[in-house]
Each structure stands twice: as structure tokens, then as C-alpha cells.
């Protein structure tokens, strides 16, 4: 990884950050903190959609919220969400 990439706010952020495409909901990238917390490496994250990343019982709620929110809205500010870790454990974050 190059020095510029490591110094960017995305990669150096101390909070887990996942970026996804608004149309397809495909995960485009995740920072190191997200990889450490959820257990997926960058390639594994990019094989998921944001819907596959959330807990199965929250997929419908997330899909509804994503359809109702403006494109630039941060879903993380819309309440607590439960995400699926790679080891199939659920993690609830607010």
C-alpha cells in the first residue's frame, strides 16, 4: 500500500468505514478498521453487497431505509444496525 493511500482520511480513520455503490449496493471498499472489526479482507468485502453484510433479519429494514434516504445520507446515523462478521457472529453498532 502506498504512503498517500495510508495517509488518506478513509484509510487512516480510527472508525470502521465501508463504502458501497448506491445503485447496486455492492461494497466498493472498506478501511483497515472495518477489516479488523468484521474479519473480512478488502477482496472479501468487495464480494459482498451492503445487504449481505447486514444481519439477515435487518435486510428488509436496510433496503427500505436505503430507498428512502438521499444518496449522500450516512446510514450509520439512522440508528443501531447489526452487521454480520465473517465468523458468522452478529455485531450490533450504533
Amino acid at each position: 500500500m502506498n504512503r498517500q493511500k495510508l495517509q488518506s482520511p478513509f484509510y487512516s480513520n480510527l472508525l470502521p468505514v465501508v463504502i458501497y455503490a448506491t445503485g447496486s449496493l455492492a461494497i466498493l471498499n472498506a478501511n483497515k478498521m472495518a477489516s479488523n472489526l468484521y474479519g473480512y479482507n478488502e477482496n472479501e468485502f468487495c464480494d459482498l453487497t451492503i445487504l449481505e453484510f447486514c444481519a439477515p433479519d435487518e435486510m428488509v429494514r436496510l433496503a427500505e431505509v436505503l430507498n428512502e434516504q438521499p444518496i449522500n445520507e450516512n446510514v450509520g446515523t439512522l440508528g443501531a444496525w447489526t452487521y454480520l462478521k465473517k465468523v458468522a457472529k452478529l455485531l450490533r453498532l450504533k
Side-chain angles (χ1 to χ4, degrees):
M1 192 175 296
N2 68 36
R3 184 180 179 102
Q4 185 178 15
K5 188 174 180 181
L6 286 173
Q7 292 177 337
S8 77
F10 173 75
Y11 286 100
S12 63
N13 198 324
L14 297 178
L15 297 173
V17 179
V18 175
I19 298 172
Y20 64 92
T22 56
S24 67
L25 304 181
I27 293 178
L28 303 174
N29 208 339
N31 69 0
K32 185 69 173 168
M33 293 305 291
S35 291
N36 291 342
L37 181 61
Y38 301 115
Y40 300 98
N41 65 37
E42 188 173 339
N43 291 333
E44 291 168 327
F45 263 118
C46 293
D47 288 338
L48 298 172
T49 68
I50 197 73
L51 291 175
E52 294 168 327
F53 178 55
C54 76
D57 61 336
E58 291 202 49
M59 285 182 180
V60 172
R61 179 173 79 113
L62 180 58
E64 290 170 353
V65 167
L66 292 172
N67 285 331
E68 295 170 2
Q69 297 305 312
I71 289 175
N72 62 350
E73 184 71 33
N74 180 351
V75 174
T77 65
L78 302 174
W81 296 93
T82 304
Y83 299 97
L84 189 60
K85 294 178 81 169
K86 182 178 177 181
V87 293
K89 291 184 181 179
L90 297 176
L91 180 66
R92 185 148 180 92
L93 295 177
K94 183 171 181 173

